[in-house]
């Protein structure tokens, strides 16, 4: 199990995170809704590695970036998902997520997908890299931070 800061502990189980994605998606339409669904699927894959012990090599080919790529190419404003900047959640200052305080939703989403693409590239060209699991954990923490921010 990964260690999370108190601000993210409410999303520690797959069921709780998936319910939070459903609530996040509920009042969104069109492109935003499609992106949230894609993030939900990617989060589910992270949970497979972190909580179910599935090997990263099995999961990585299933990460999807199609909606993000389409929206990014079209100039979509990812801040529409949450207009406010990321607040200083309790406990975040003592974690590797501290640097996300006061950044935009768009910056976080772009970073999540950049990290997914990086893991896919490592998997494709340098499989067996020992840091892949840690990288998936870091992706997952950012996705959970996005969920917390979207509440």
């Amino acid at each position: 199990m990964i260690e999370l800061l108190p601000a993210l502990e409410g999303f520690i189980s797959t069921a709780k995170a998936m319910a939070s994605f459903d609530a996040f998606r509920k009042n969104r339409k069109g492109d935003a809704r499609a992106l949230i669904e894609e993030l939900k699927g990617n989060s589910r894959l992270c949970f497979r590695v972190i909580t179910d012990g599935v090997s990263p090599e099995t999961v990585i080919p299933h990460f999807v970036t199609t909606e993000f790529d389409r929206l990014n190419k079209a100039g979509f404003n990812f801040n529409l998902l949450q207009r406010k900047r990321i607040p200083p959640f309790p406990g975040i200052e003592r974690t590797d997520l501290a640097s996300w305080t006061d950044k935009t939703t768009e910056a976080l989403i772009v970073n999540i997908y950049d990290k997914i693409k990086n893991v896919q590239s490592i998997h494709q060209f340098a499989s067996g890299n020992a840091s892949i699991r840690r990288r998936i954990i870091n992706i997952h923490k950012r996705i959970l931070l996005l969920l917390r921010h979207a509440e």
Side-chain angles (χ1 to χ4, degrees), residues 42-51 63 136 139-140 143:
N42 288 333
S43 177
R44 188 177 282 122
L45 293 171
C46 291
F47 269 116
R48 293 297 150 258
V49 171
I50 296 164
T51 61
F63 278 119
I136 290 174
I139 290 167
H140 194 60
I143 292 173

Side-chain angles (χ1 to χ4, degrees), residues 17-137:
M18 295 308 116
S20 294
F21 272 111
D22 291 341
F24 184 23
R25 186 188 67 222
K26 188 176 182 179
N27 296 320
R28 306 301 192 295
K29 295 183 182 190
D31 292 335
R33 192 177 185 104
L35 182 66
I36 293 166
E37 268 306 305
E38 186 172 87
L39 282 162
K40 180 180 178 181
N42 288 333
S43 177
R44 188 177 282 122
L45 293 171
C46 291
F47 269 116
R48 293 297 150 258
V49 171
I50 296 164
T51 61
D52 298 341
V54 175
S55 79
E57 290 75 18
T58 302
V59 168
I60 291 169
H62 299 284
F63 278 119
V64 180
T65 64
T66 308
E67 288 300 324
F68 171 79
D69 292 338
R70 178 182 67 81
L71 295 172
N72 196 37
K73 184 176 181 180
F76 182 78
N77 180 1
F78 295 102
N79 288 323
L80 292 175
L81 295 174
Q82 175 54 273
R83 286 182 169 82
K84 298 176 192 168
R85 290 185 171 266
I86 299 169
F89 294 115
I92 198 171
E93 70 280 352
R94 296 180 307 276
T95 72
D96 57 335
L97 297 174
S99 65
W100 288 102
T101 297
D102 204 40
K103 290 192 178 171
T104 65
T105 303
E106 181 162 352
L108 181 56
I109 290 171
V110 168
N111 184 266
I112 288 167
Y113 278 97
D114 184 53
K115 291 198 176 303
I116 288 171
K117 290 177 181 187
N118 188 44
V119 163
Q120 290 173 324
S121 177
I122 291 169
H123 173 70
Q124 184 176 5
F125 298 108
S127 62
N129 187 311
S131 68
I132 290 247
R133 185 173 193 285
R134 170 58 41 201
R135 291 172 191 263
I136 290 174
I137 290 169

